[in-house]
Amino acid sequence: MNSTHRQIAVIGGGLSGICSAYFLAAKGYQVAVIERRAHVAEEATFGDSGLLAPGAAMPLTLPGAMATFACRFQDEPRVLLAPGADFGRRRWMRQTRQAQQHEFAENKLRLSRLSAYGQGLTLQLQAHHNMEHENGNGVLHLFRQPAEAARMPHLQEAARQCEFKHQALDAAAIRTLEPAFSSEAKLAGALYYPDDMAGNCVLFAKQMRNAAQELGVSFHFDSTVRTLSADFGGRVSLLLESPHLASHMQVDAVVVAAGMSSARLLQPLDTVLPLRALQSYSALVPVKNPDDAPSMALYDDSYKVAMTRLGGRIRISGLLGFVPPSQTLPPKALRNLLKIAGDYYPNAANYNQAHFWSNTMALLPHGLPVLGPTRQGNVFVNVGHGATGWAATVGSARLLSDLMAGEEPEIPTDGLLPRDLLG
């Protein structure tokens, strides 16, 4: 145990912050989680797709994917764009394109390895704490366009290196595995990962909060960290707005796991993270005909949308938008989610009874999370996992706790550290 980090504040009560707190407390640290909302898992975690799927795990930055960002004028845009010039968005997209062209295969392998690690940890935690879950086995990764299916050799190579079971399928083979799959859906290719899973990420996050509290972690809600500053003597000061905490807190170390707020908090400490806010759109629909509903999860590569079965409900999530958060959800997003679900399972659910919501995610240009120490040695970061990042989030939290304790991580962290991103 690193004795200089006895008291640790974790900023953010999503899955990243909860799991970071849990693994740190398990190593004997005194940990407090500070969350601006009234409960855990109310922002990016609430919008998670539910995929627990190292095989299908993908950096957002795929070769050719940025063409989808030019779909503003289509009736069925794959990514929603706000009108007008946005030079920050253009710069972020250029960085993303560079990652696609030069680092896709390497980043895919890194994310698959991290997600496999996190999937194993998740199953261990569920078993150890006797957690309720809605896990289901098998994920279909679907490609509508030939240009998207052309990436399959990269994905299969990553699967081979990580020893994931996988199988390339045509539409007929998919229907053999999944009889409810619609014969009207036109596909250019598909990969099937039998050991990938899907479940209820929010349920897991809430139960992880209980497990963390049993280890002594304290949770402070309705509390916002305004600033971080490094003090003489190696401590960190937090300036807070909170109904039940003092306005000033001093700790030995801080973990910043606060989504888009992470960039604002870290910038004064000479750590500039190129995070970009994207909206993720989701729908929950009741199953109408169980025999026509999916028995396994699927991920539509073209629209970046996942469908997961949760008992008598189907969750459709992941459509992205470079648009400001709004109380009114864009009609195009809502139509798209239901269209995509209907393409594959038209008779499965009462789609006219869908419940919709939107969440903000913080993403990095290379499509990977970033974890570990910043230039300020006792300030750490754990952000950027994305809408399909459940497994990667759990894996990242464990790696972070090992780094903070001065222990050797169980898997390589290359490409995931802040210094790899910032240079």
Side-chain angles (χ1 to χ4, degrees):
M1 176 174 174
N2 187 333
S3 61
T4 62
H5 297 157
R6 293 181 298 275
Q7 295 177 318
I8 300 173
V10 176
I11 305 172
L15 185 62
S16 179
I18 296 166
C19 291
S20 298
Y22 173 89
F23 288 120
L24 288 166
K27 292 181 183 295
Y29 294 109
Q30 181 182 336
V31 186
V33 175
I34 302 169
E35 166 57 41
R36 66 178 182 174
R37 298 271 194 164
H39 304 283
V40 297
E42 288 205 338
E43 296 196 27
T45 300
F46 197 79
D48 188 272
S49 67
L51 293 182
L52 192 62
M58 301 283 278
L60 180 66
T61 54
L62 303 176
M66 292 307 292
T68 65
F69 291 148
C71 299
R72 185 192 316 167
F73 301 109
Q74 293 184 5
D75 290 334
E76 298 171 4
R78 300 180 187 180
V79 175
L80 305 180
L81 294 181
D86 184 333
F87 296 108
R89 182 176 71 202
R90 291 180 183 176
R91 183 168 58 252
W92 192 90
M93 290 165 67
R94 280 198 302 272
Q95 293 173 307
T96 297
R97 193 173 295 113
Q98 290 171 0
Q100 294 166 10
Q101 293 170 348
H102 304 297
E103 301 164 8
F104 169 70
E106 190 174 24
N107 285 342
K108 163 59 182 168
L109 184 59
R110 287 167 174 160
L111 188 58
S112 292
R113 184 173 55 211
L114 175 64
S115 298
Y117 182 56
Q119 183 195 46
L121 289 170
T122 299
L123 297 178
Q124 290 174 25
L125 289 164
Q126 288 178 330
H128 179 74
H129 293 286
N130 195 27
M131 293 181 180
E132 297 178 24
H133 62 78
E134 297 176 297
N135 294 352
N137 292 321
V139 173
L140 291 166
H141 189 172
L142 308 180
F143 306 87
R144 293 177 182 250
Q145 303 298 326
E148 295 156 355
R151 308 180 198 120
M152 288 172 58
H154 289 294
L155 309 184
Q156 290 174 290
E157 177 59 27
R160 281 190 288 269
Q161 290 195 44
C162 293
E163 299 183 349
F164 297 154
K165 294 178 183 177
H166 64 287
Q167 185 180 357
L169 304 176
D170 59 16
I174 293 172
R175 286 191 290 276
T176 300
L177 277 173
E178 178 74 295
F181 191 82
S182 170
S183 60
E184 301 301 318
K186 295 181 180 179
L187 296 174
L191 289 170
Y192 170 56
Y193 297 96
D195 294 334
D196 276 9
M197 306 175 72
N200 191 328
C201 182
V202 175
L203 176 63
F204 175 73
K206 291 179 177 179
Q207 292 178 104
M208 280 299 294
R209 175 208 171 171
N210 296 335
Q213 286 180 310
E214 290 173 5
L215 292 176
V217 176
S218 60
F219 285 79
H220 305 280
F221 297 104
D222 300 310
S223 302
T224 300
V225 178
R226 292 301 179 193
T227 61
L228 297 176
S229 58
D231 292 349
F232 292 109
R235 304 198 84 201
V236 185
S237 284
L238 290 74
L239 186 64
L240 297 158
E241 286 186 13
S242 171
H244 47 81
L245 291 173
S247 61
H248 180 263
M249 176 187 291
Q250 268 197 335
V251 292
D252 298 307
V254 169
V255 175
V256 181
M260 278 305 299
S261 297
S262 303
R264 172 183 60 81
L265 290 169
L266 291 169
Q267 187 170 6
L269 299 176
D270 195 31
T271 298
V272 180
L273 293 182
L275 289 167
R276 187 77 192 179
L278 272 76
Q279 296 302 111
S280 174
Y281 301 97
S282 302
L284 194 67
V285 296
V287 171
K288 178 175 64 174
N289 299 312
D291 290 343
D292 294 325
S295 63
M296 63 182 73
L298 66 80
Y299 182 70
D300 183 313
D301 194 86
S302 300
Y303 288 92
K304 308 297 178 278
V305 166
M307 289 184 66
T308 54
R309 174 86 175 265
L310 300 174
R313 301 156 296 153
I314 298 172
R315 180 166 178 156
I316 315 154
S317 58
L319 186 72
L320 302 176
F322 277 107
V323 295
S326 172
Q327 297 295 322
T328 304
L329 302 186
K332 285 183 178 180
L334 311 189
R335 288 197 304 268
N336 259 21
L337 287 173
L338 299 187
K339 175 202 175 296
I340 293 160
D343 283 348
Y344 299 122
Y345 299 98
N347 302 312
N350 290 309
Y351 294 116
N352 60 346
Q353 297 178 22
H355 171 66
F356 297 99
W357 67 95
S358 173
N359 298 85
T360 302
M361 301 184 306
L363 291 176
L364 291 156
H366 61 359
L368 300 178
V370 61
L371 63 101
T374 66
R375 291 187 170 117
Q376 190 68 40
N378 54 354
V379 176
F380 299 79
V381 66
N382 191 7
V383 295
H385 299 89
T388 58
W390 177 358
T393 301
V394 179
S396 295
R398 175 58 190 270
L399 295 178
L400 177 69
S401 71
D402 290 341
L403 291 171
M404 293 181 69
E407 300 171 4
E408 184 69 24
E410 293 181 317
I411 66 169
T413 58
D414 55 293
L416 303 174
L417 301 174
R419 67 168 181 258
D420 299 324
L421 185 67
L422 300 173

